[in-house]
């Protein structure tokens, strides 16, 4: 019999976690401009790609004035500032590729960057929260939220492929919104012993995960119906280095000194899908337990998320076990709904492995083959890729074994 939630067990709600009803973890309506005082940042951030190609970005940044961050007032201003300073930093570090990196980020960039990062609770490096969640606008404000109507606020080398990569990822986040909204329904249903509510919420949840997989297929669906938004050779040969960090990266073994912030170098991981809060929330809800090494990497990636989103993941993990409730209820529709969620999460992870294979493993093998033949051809885009990252995710994980372990642990929660 269903019980009610007592006062001591307040209903679980998404309100305290800065999660939007319409957009989930995506920042709603990001700003495209900062107050005029910060125009020197925006002038460079909006032209990072051209300045990298003309080898002028570092010299432009060195001439930039040291600005005071106290005039950044709203959360949206801080997010745009972090995004702008992040793309400048990635460009500054990797302007000349992996062979001519820098040991130090100049103070006029490092000091404001670290101040803005501290106020947001984000690290001073480009994260998923910057490049995807806060880097979009609609071309037509009244139009649809779809590939044709979305554009980036700032970009990096790789042309339209960069837009494709970040926007498809954004659409995966958007497809997940019904799943995020069903989390409180599941948690409160379990608290009350209401199997019917939990079953309905889990059906919503599995449907949303199917939507996420469908959105991810836009990345590189070779069917003729869907245009290819990201070419694997461009992602591997051009874009990836600008998403790389200075932790577990052999081309920057000592990390990076943020001048004027501290004398010792700091190490931060590059961008990674593991910085999205989505699958962390889903794993905690379904009770997926990761193996020690993968689990440690995933937990570390939570430090690259907005703090309120990280807190949501932790708070979901403290709730009574959904899987335990499903087993205890022994109710066929509930068990089937739970099992479908596990199946859909597995399918999403398997499709992601397929994408990574196409975008990293296959181009890496081609680049190696060209190198072994002594044919470092500039005509083949994959040849331009950094060798340090060959079998590694930009977040620094040994990518295939990590993804397969994570997928296999997902299978273990099946009932």
């Amino acid at each position: 019999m269903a019980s009610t939630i007592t006062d001591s067990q307040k209903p679980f709600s998404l309100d305290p976690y800065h999660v939007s009803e319409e957009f989930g973890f995506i920042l709603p309506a990001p700003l495209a401009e900062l107050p005029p005082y910060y125009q020197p940042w925006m002038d460079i951030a909006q032209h990072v790609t051209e300045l990298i190609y003309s080898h002028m970005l570092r010299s432009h940044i060195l001439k930039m004035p040291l600005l005071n961050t106290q005039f950044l007032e709203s959360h949206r201003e801080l997010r745009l500032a972090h995004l702008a300073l992040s793309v400048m930093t990635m460009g500054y570090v990797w302007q000349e590729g992996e062979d001519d990196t820098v040991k130090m980020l100049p103070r006029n960039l490092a000091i404001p960057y670290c101040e803005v990062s501290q106020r947001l609770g984000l690290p001073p490096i480009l994260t998923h929260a910057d490049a995807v969640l806060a880097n979009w606008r609609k071309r037509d404000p009244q139009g649809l939220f779809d590939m044709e109507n979305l554009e980036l606020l700032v970009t990096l080398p790789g042309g339209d492929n960069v837009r494709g990569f970040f926007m498809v990822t954004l659409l995966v986040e958007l497809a997940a919104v019904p799943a995020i909204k069903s989390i409180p329904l599941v948690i409160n249903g379990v608290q009350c012993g209401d199997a019917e509510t939990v079953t309905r919420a889990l059906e919503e949840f599995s449907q949303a995960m199917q939507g996420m997989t469908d959105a991810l297929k836009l990345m590189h669906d070779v069917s003729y119906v869907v245009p290819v938004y990201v070419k694997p050779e461009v992602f591997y040969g051009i874009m990836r280095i600008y998403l790389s960090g200075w932790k577990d990266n052999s081309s920057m073994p000592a990390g990076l000194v943020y001048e004027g912030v501290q004398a010792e170098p700091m190490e931060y991981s590059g961008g990674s899908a593991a910085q999205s809060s989505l699958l962390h929330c889903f794993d905690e809800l379904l009770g997926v337990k990761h193996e020690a090494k993968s689990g440690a990497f995933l937990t570390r990636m939570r430090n690259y998320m907005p703090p309120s989103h990280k807190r949501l993941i932790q708070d979901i993990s403290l709730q009574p076990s959904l899987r335990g409730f499903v087993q205890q209820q022994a109710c066929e529709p509930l068990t089937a709904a739970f099992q479908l969620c596990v199946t859909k999460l597995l399918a999403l992870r398997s499709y992601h492995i397929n994408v990574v294979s196409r975008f990293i493993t296959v181009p890496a093998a081609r680049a190696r083959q060209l190198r072994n033949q002594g044919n470092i051809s500039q005509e083949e885009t994959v040849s331009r890729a950094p060798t340090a990252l060959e079998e590694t995710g930009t977040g620094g994980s040994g990518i295939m074994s990590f993804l397969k372990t994570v997928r296999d642990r997902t299978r273990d929660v099946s009932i």
Side-chain angles (χ1 to χ4, degrees):
M1 192 183 94
S3 61
T4 54
I5 293 178
T6 61
D7 281 347
S8 63
Q9 295 174 304
K10 276 221 224 42
F12 190 87
S13 157
L14 295 174
D15 294 346
Y17 303 105
H18 295 114
V19 177
S20 152
E21 274 286 301
E22 192 182 349
F23 293 110
F25 294 121
I26 298 167
L27 181 69
L31 297 180
E33 292 295 339
L34 287 174
Y37 172 74
Y38 297 102
Q39 199 53 41
W41 291 351
M42 295 310 289
D43 285 343
I44 296 178
Q46 287 166 340
H47 298 98
V48 160
T49 300
E50 304 95 287
L51 290 168
I52 287 171
Y53 284 141
S54 63
H55 301 272
M56 297 292 285
L57 179 64
R58 287 179 184 167
S59 57
H60 272 67
I61 285 173
L62 290 168
K63 291 184 208 133
M64 195 170 74
L66 172 57
L67 302 181
N68 189 324
T69 58
Q70 71 184 37
F71 311 115
L72 295 164
E73 286 168 4
S74 69
H75 178 74
R76 279 188 177 80
E77 283 178 354
L78 287 165
R79 289 289 288 273
L80 178 56
H82 198 270
L83 171 63
L85 295 164
S86 293
V87 294
M88 281 193 261
T89 297
M90 295 320 238
Y92 188 89
V93 169
W94 300 115
Q95 174 181 297
E96 303 300 328
E98 65 176 341
D99 298 326
D100 181 15
T101 54
V102 292
K103 299 217 168 12
M104 185 184 284
L105 201 63
R107 61 189 306 118
N108 52 350
L109 175 52
I111 293 172
Y113 193 18
C114 288
E115 286 173 0
V116 169
S117 299
Q118 200 167 8
R119 284 173 67 184
L120 285 169
L122 288 170
I125 191 167
L126 184 72
T127 67
H128 174 83
D130 303 301
V132 175
L133 303 180
N135 188 18
W136 64 275
R137 69 171 150 215
K138 286 180 171 183
R139 288 178 174 143
D140 168 8
Q142 307 311 315
L144 294 172
F145 198 106
D146 65 11
M147 282 305 280
E148 279 57 55
N149 195 35
L150 286 168
E151 61 186 10
L152 297 172
L153 302 176
V154 296
T155 191
L156 286 162
D160 216 34
N161 293 270
V162 181
R163 186 184 84 92
F165 182 69
F166 291 144
M167 290 303 157
V168 169
T169 312
L170 186 73
L171 291 177
V172 174
E173 289 274 347
L174 189 72
V177 172
I180 300 166
K181 282 161 67 172
S182 70
I183 290 172
L185 298 172
V186 171
I187 290 171
N188 296 327
V190 170
Q191 291 270 25
C192 303
D194 182 349
E196 205 176 313
T197 298
V198 175
T199 304
R200 274 201 310 273
L202 289 176
E203 286 164 354
E204 278 281 303
F205 194 85
S206 57
Q207 226 173 331
M209 278 193 284
Q210 179 62 54
M212 290 166 69
T213 305
D214 293 342
L216 187 55
K217 288 180 179 170
L218 290 172
M219 193 74 82
H220 185 72
D221 195 324
V222 283
S223 73
Y224 293 109
V225 192
V226 179
V228 173
Y229 286 113
V230 190
K231 292 179 178 156
E233 64 277 15
V234 176
F235 174 77
Y236 185 80
I238 297 172
M239 289 163 55
R240 260 183 108 217
I241 191 168
Y242 297 101
L243 306 176
S244 310
W246 25 99
K247 179 178 171 62
D248 305 324
N249 187 340
S250 59
S251 52
M252 284 185 73
L256 182 67
V257 173
Y258 289 72
E259 187 187 19
V261 179
Q262 69 171 48
E264 295 74 46
M266 299 196 254
E267 295 189 338
Y268 292 103
S269 297
S272 165
Q275 293 172 3
S276 165
S277 306
L278 294 172
L279 296 196
H280 291 255
C281 287
F282 299 174
D283 282 345
E284 294 298 355
L285 188 73
L286 298 173
V288 178
K289 298 279 178 270
H290 292 291
E291 162 278 332
K293 194 178 168 197
S294 321
F297 175 75
L298 287 167
T299 303
R300 190 160 63 73
M301 288 298 103
R302 293 180 185 182
N303 298 328
Y304 291 72
M305 299 173 187
S308 55
H309 298 169
K310 176 185 173 180
R311 207 170 60 246
L312 171 61
I313 299 163
Q314 288 165 333
D315 289 353
I316 294 171
S317 76
L318 302 173
Q319 304 305 316
S321 161
L322 165 63
R323 188 170 184 268
F325 174 75
V326 173
Q327 287 174 309
Q328 176 205 334
Q329 293 285 312
C331 151
E332 204 176 312
L334 174 62
T335 306
F338 179 86
Q339 196 49 47
L340 188 58
C341 288
V342 177
T343 304
K344 293 293 184 189
L345 182 54
L346 265 171
L348 176 59
R349 285 193 154 131
S350 295
Y351 189 77
H352 184 235
I353 287 171
N354 179 348
V355 169
V356 168
S357 169
R358 220 176 294 165
F359 280 76
I360 295 174
T361 315
V362 172
R366 177 67 184 148
R368 255 198 317 274
Q369 180 191 24
L370 289 170
R371 242 196 344 273
N372 294 341
Q373 293 167 351
N375 176 10
I376 307 299
S377 144
Q378 279 305 311
E379 283 150 47
E380 283 222 33
T381 310
V382 289
S383 301
R384 296 154 67 176
T387 52
L389 280 174
E390 216 143 72
E391 290 298 333
T392 311
T394 44
S397 64
I399 197 155
M400 269 306 177
S401 59
F402 164 73
L403 291 174
K404 285 177 176 168
T405 307
V406 164
R407 179 192 58 191
D408 295 345
R409 285 301 171 100
T410 307
R411 195 176 282 123
D412 294 347
V413 293
S414 295
I415 293 177

